[in-house]
Amino acid sequence: MSYPEFRNQLDSILRSKNPEAVRQFLVGQGQWEEGFPGDVEHAMWMMIAGSPTLQKLHPEALDWLTQHGYQAEAEMLRERSKAPLKTSSTQPRAKARASTKKPHAKSKRTARPKPQQDTYTQD
């Protein structure tokens, strides 16, 4: 399954706000261990709050996190949502381009002069 397909399915399941459905999906995708005792509900709300496609659920997720003792995470996610999104169009053009080098090509290094060693002769 490609990442976009995985992400679309995950977001669809997250919309249900059903921790057990989220756990079963993640286990089925090899992203959560079957017997892992982690807090699935906390993980679900964190994923909801962090998903750009689930913005309508962000206030509910942040409220849940705050009410359940995850104030620091909620504040971090609130601040992140206020920050302007960085897009590739704002990056310098040279960095946005893909490398034209072949993966097997050796990189050329600039030759550095070797440090001269002092040679002492005894007379």
Side-chain angles (χ1 to χ4, degrees), residues 14-105:
L14 289 170
R15 281 184 191 91
S16 74
K17 298 182 273 184
N18 179 338
E20 183 55 26
V22 172
R23 188 192 69 76
Q24 287 177 4
F25 173 75
L26 293 174
V27 167
Q29 296 300 311
Q31 300 297 315
W32 192 282
E33 291 185 36
E34 181 69 44
F36 184 71
D39 186 349
V40 180
E41 191 170 18
H42 172 233
M44 177 190 74
W45 287 111
M46 287 292 293
M47 286 185 265
I48 290 170
S51 175
T53 60
L54 300 176
Q55 289 182 356
K56 290 181 180 180
L57 296 176
H58 287 183
E60 185 178 356
L62 296 173
D63 287 346
W64 187 94
L65 291 167
T66 300
Q67 292 170 6
H68 290 83
Y70 301 103
Q71 181 68 32
E73 289 94 333
E75 286 302 317
M76 184 261 319
L77 289 163
R78 272 190 192 94
E79 290 302 315
R80 192 177 94 182
S81 69
K82 292 177 186 176
L85 292 176
K86 294 180 181 179
T87 62
S88 60
S89 63
T90 61
Q91 294 177 355
R93 199 167 171 88
K95 288 185 179 180
R97 286 189 203 144
S99 174
T100 58
K101 289 185 179 182
K102 294 180 182 176
H104 63 279

Side-chain angles (χ1 to χ4, degrees), residues 95-122:
K95 288 185 179 180
R97 286 189 203 144
S99 174
T100 58
K101 289 185 179 182
K102 294 180 182 176
H104 63 279
K106 292 182 180 179
S107 65
K108 295 181 181 179
R109 291 186 174 177
T110 306
R112 292 187 204 163
K114 291 184 180 180
Q116 291 184 346
Q117 294 180 341
D118 291 331
T119 55
Y120 297 99
T121 56
Q122 283 185 322

